[in-house]
């Protein structure tokens, strides 16, 4: 099934170069105390919180200021954003992620691990 979506103001983020995007859906569960590690994605990613609460750390933010996301919240991760989602709560965090990937991207390449950012030394 092919779905076409237009969201005013979001079109600059939904690009995969000269080719069409592949879209991948993933359900991620992060247990209490767990985290994703620092990474990026090869294309923009839309994320919705289905259960629990997560704390997002973005390397570009001054001092790695945390942003909390609870059930029903959603956010966009541009492909250039180095980030780390942590579950600092007492219940499992469940995320629904929609990845817009360059055509032909292998499932193993949905995320690209990144080094610990220098401005976030205390966030593993």
């Amino acid at each position: 099934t092919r779905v076409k979506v237009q969201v005013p103001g979001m079109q600059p983020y939904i690009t995969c170069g000269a080719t069409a995007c592949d879209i991948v859906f993933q359900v991620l569960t992060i247990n209490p105390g767990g985290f994703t590690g620092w990474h990026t994605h090869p294309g923009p990613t839309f994320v919705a919180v289905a259960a629990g609460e997560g704390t997002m750390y973005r390397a570009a933010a001054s001092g790695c200021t945390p942003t909390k996301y609870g059930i029903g919240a959603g956010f966009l991760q541009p492909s250039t954003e180095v980030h780390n989602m942590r579950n600092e709560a007492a219940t499992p965090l469940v995320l629904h992620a929609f990845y817009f990937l360059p055509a032909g991207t292998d499932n193993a390449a949905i995320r690209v691990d990144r080094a610990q950012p220098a401005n976030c030394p205390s966030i593993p």
Side-chain angles (χ1 to χ4, degrees):
T1 302
R2 185 173 285 208
V3 177
K4 185 174 182 177
V5 177
Q6 291 216 349
V7 180
M10 288 300 206
Q11 203 59 37
Y13 296 106
I14 306 173
T15 180
C16 297
T19 62
C21 296
D22 285 343
I23 299 173
V24 175
F25 172 74
Q26 183 179 35
V27 176
L28 302 118
T29 300
I30 303 172
N31 288 319
F35 53 90
T36 62
W38 292 100
H39 66 282
T40 59
H41 302 284
T45 303
F46 293 89
V47 181
V49 179
E53 179 182 84
T55 305
M56 174 68 74
Y57 293 89
R58 293 175 173 88
S62 177
C64 268
T65 305
T67 304
K68 292 196 181 288
Y69 294 98
I71 296 173
F75 54 92
L76 164 72
Q77 296 170 316
S79 61
T80 56
E81 179 183 88
V82 178
H83 59 278
N84 185 355
M85 176 63 91
R86 298 179 54 85
N87 182 351
E88 298 171 349
T91 59
L93 169 63
V94 179
L95 304 173
H96 291 180
F98 291 87
Y99 303 92
F100 289 76
L101 304 169
T105 299
D106 185 83
N107 284 345
I110 287 175
R111 75 177 261 143
V112 179
D113 290 337
R114 299 294 180 188
Q116 177 86 30
N119 67 323
C120 307
S122 63
I123 311 299

